[in-house]
Amino acid sequence: MSVFTGQLGRELRLAARSRSDVLNPLVFLLLAITLFALALDGKPEVLREHAAGILWVLVLLTNMLALDGMFRRDFDDGSLEQLLLAVDAVPFAMLAKLLVQWLVTGLIIVLLSPLLGMVLNLPAAVLGTLALVLLAGTPAVSFIGAIGAALTTGARRGGALLALLVLPLLIPVLIFGVSAINRALADEPPRAELYWLGALSVTSLMLSPFATQAGLKIALEQ
Amino acid sequence: MGILKTLWHRLGSPRWFFHMMAPWQTWLGGLALLLLLTGSFWGLVYAPQDYQQSHSFRIIYVHVPTVIVAQSVYMALGVSGFVLLVWRMKLADVALKAMVPFGMAMTALGLFTGAVWGRPTWGTWWEWTDARLISTLILLFLYFGLYALRESIASAEAAGRACAVLAIVGLVNIPIIKYSVEWWTTLHQGETLSMTGIKMPAEMYIPLLINILGMYCLFGYVVIARMRNEILRRERETNWVAAWLRGDGRTGMESMSEH
């Protein structure tokens, strides 16, 4: 457990000290939503109709930006190698990294979601469900995405490659997430979708530390 | 069991595989040609036409085999990836590398023939409400990802193992993707556009079976040929490759059994 808490503390401190790394993707999210509102002529009913799709696609893209640098700094300064060599409970350290990755993107998106919903003209009654849907779905995005981030850490190019690897795997999250918000807009409780998103998040939390470790080991061998 | 165990150990030697698979390559290639020609001629010329779709249904003789093989290739990729990561078998990496472009081509061909079939039958090239179309498209993207990942990692060994991890993650995800896409289409779908619903008489499905079998033989042939080429490329510094290139490849095997 000390591996986990130690790593958690380190990652949180690092996140707090590199504020622009955390904030830039979120500013991108706000900017992109503004672009959508402008591109769709700001028509309230059009925005509401497409809000679920716009929001989820942008959440996925924001996560791609946030995930891109997830291991790069640790890889460059050698601390990643030290971590994989020194600690015998590497999956726990990975778990801490994954959780912090979600805290600084997914959770902040959840907290921002009422604002995002209002920009997209969602009715106030849906905003609670929107936050809940994002809370259930974004962990899966971070955890599955981290596998891609680990695999591309040693690759010659990051960005687009990461998105190419990860986005197809995130299609179920997109489908259930969009469907949940649309169901809420139709005044139905989106229970099945929430269960699915939760199941995807928990399952990926379970498997991702091992896959991430394997990916990073390969990156370090090069 | 003993034979299997010996075979398993022998598979650790790319050189053994190279020599053993030479006749397999020839036979599978010949068989693929024979089966595909028979099945296609039978299906395209002699099979009766469909009473609803007339002649346009005949594209299933190309479409169905390619899609089935495209999916099988991804399974084989997952299995190869697992073998590579667990037993570090070099040959599994060679297989991974050899299969990705073939699977990619089959998936693309499957999508193309599906669109060509969809045009006269559904009145549209592409239909976002059909689960199988979308799943196949996602499969194509998974293949693109594997290909791009290998291209972007400099070290061949690391690239192979990274692809193995990705292939396994993809294989775990495929059932979830399929389920979610089916869920999505049942929410949107107006009418069921089904191809599997067609009840086929024997004279229609036997050529289809022949073509499916032929396509699997083609898969075997292409993958073995590509694997053997890759082995030659990777082992080009060794003596046995030099000997084989000089034309006394047979002696290569005999000297091996002396050890």
Side-chain angles (χ1 to χ4, degrees), chain A residues 155-173:
Chain A
R156 283 192 288 257
R157 35 192 123 83
L161 178 64
L162 173 70
L164 177 56
L165 300 190
V166 172
L167 286 177
L169 302 176
L170 292 177
I171 284 171
V173 181

Side-chain angles (χ1 to χ4, degrees), chain A residues 144 147 151-152 154-157 161 164-165 168-169 171-172 175-176 179 183 192-193 196 200 207 211 214-215 218 221-222, chain B residues 88 138 141-142 144-146 148-149 151-155 158 161-162 165-166 169-170 173 176-177 179-181 183-184 187:
Chain A
I144 297 174
I147 302 174
L151 286 174
T152 53
R156 283 192 288 257
R157 35 192 123 83
L161 178 64
L164 177 56
L165 300 190
L169 302 176
I171 284 171
I175 287 175
F176 292 121
S179 162
R183 205 175 281 256
E193 286 91 344
W196 263 102
L200 288 172
L207 299 177
I218 295 164
E221 274 172 19
Q222 291 168 56
Chain B
R88 304 252 174 148
I138 297 170
F141 283 119
L142 291 176
F144 281 153
L146 277 170
L149 184 63
E151 289 294 302
S152 62
I153 296 180
S155 143
R161 298 184 50 215
V165 173
L166 188 65
V169 173
N173 256 282
I176 302 170
I177 294 176
Y179 176 84
S180 69
V181 169
W183 156 293
W184 185 73
L187 289 181

Side-chain angles (χ1 to χ4, degrees), chain A residues 9 12 16 38 55 78 82 89-90 131 136 144 151 168 170 182 188 204-205 211:
Chain A
L12 283 173
L38 290 172
L55 199 59
Q82 297 302 318
V90 178
I144 297 174
L151 286 174
L170 292 177
N182 283 335
E188 295 171 44
S204 56
L205 178 65

Side-chain angles (χ1 to χ4, degrees), chain A residues 6 18 23 41 54 61 73-74 85 87 122:
Chain A
S18 52
L23 288 178
D41 279 339
I54 294 172
L61 295 181
R73 194 199 320 232
D74 282 358
L85 281 176
V87 181
L122 287 175

Side-chain angles (χ1 to χ4, degrees), chain B residues 89-249:
Chain B
M89 188 186 279
K90 274 190 208 164
L91 209 55
D93 181 30
V94 175
L96 262 180
K97 190 175 178 186
M99 283 190 287
V100 170
F102 182 74
M104 198 154 69
M106 285 295 114
T107 316
L109 190 63
L111 280 172
F112 175 74
T113 51
V116 170
W117 178 83
R119 182 70 196 132
T121 316
W122 298 344
T124 171
W125 295 104
W126 184 259
E127 184 57 66
W128 280 110
T129 56
D130 186 75
R132 277 157 307 156
L133 284 185
I134 302 163
S135 309
T136 313
L137 182 65
I138 297 170
L139 186 67
L140 184 65
F141 283 119
L142 291 176
Y143 277 120
F144 281 153
L146 277 170
Y147 191 78
L149 184 63
R150 185 178 289 276
E151 289 294 302
S152 62
I153 296 180
S155 143
E157 198 190 339
R161 298 184 50 215
C163 284
V165 173
L166 188 65
I168 294 170
V169 173
L171 197 63
V172 172
N173 256 282
I174 280 181
I176 302 170
I177 294 176
K178 272 207 137 147
Y179 176 84
S180 69
V181 169
E182 267 163 32
W183 156 293
W184 185 73
T185 50
T186 50
L187 289 181
H188 296 252
Q189 202 164 354
E191 55 181 325
T192 313
L193 307 164
S194 166
M195 197 158 77
T196 45
I198 306 167
K199 292 274 173 290
M200 269 196 265
E203 56 267 36
M204 271 159 102
Y205 75 70
I206 288 174
L208 182 60
L209 287 181
I210 294 177
N211 261 5
I212 291 175
L213 210 63
M215 205 57 101
Y216 272 106
C217 289
L218 184 71
F219 169 40
Y221 166 73
V222 171
V223 169
I224 289 173
R226 287 181 56 86
M227 282 177 75
R228 292 181 75 225
N229 281 342
E230 181 68 18
I231 289 171
L232 279 186
R233 209 177 60 76
R234 290 192 185 187
E235 311 247 319
R236 62 185 179 276
E237 307 287 327
T238 59
N239 287 332
W240 74 264
V241 172
W244 184 80
L245 286 177
R246 276 197 308 272
D248 45 16

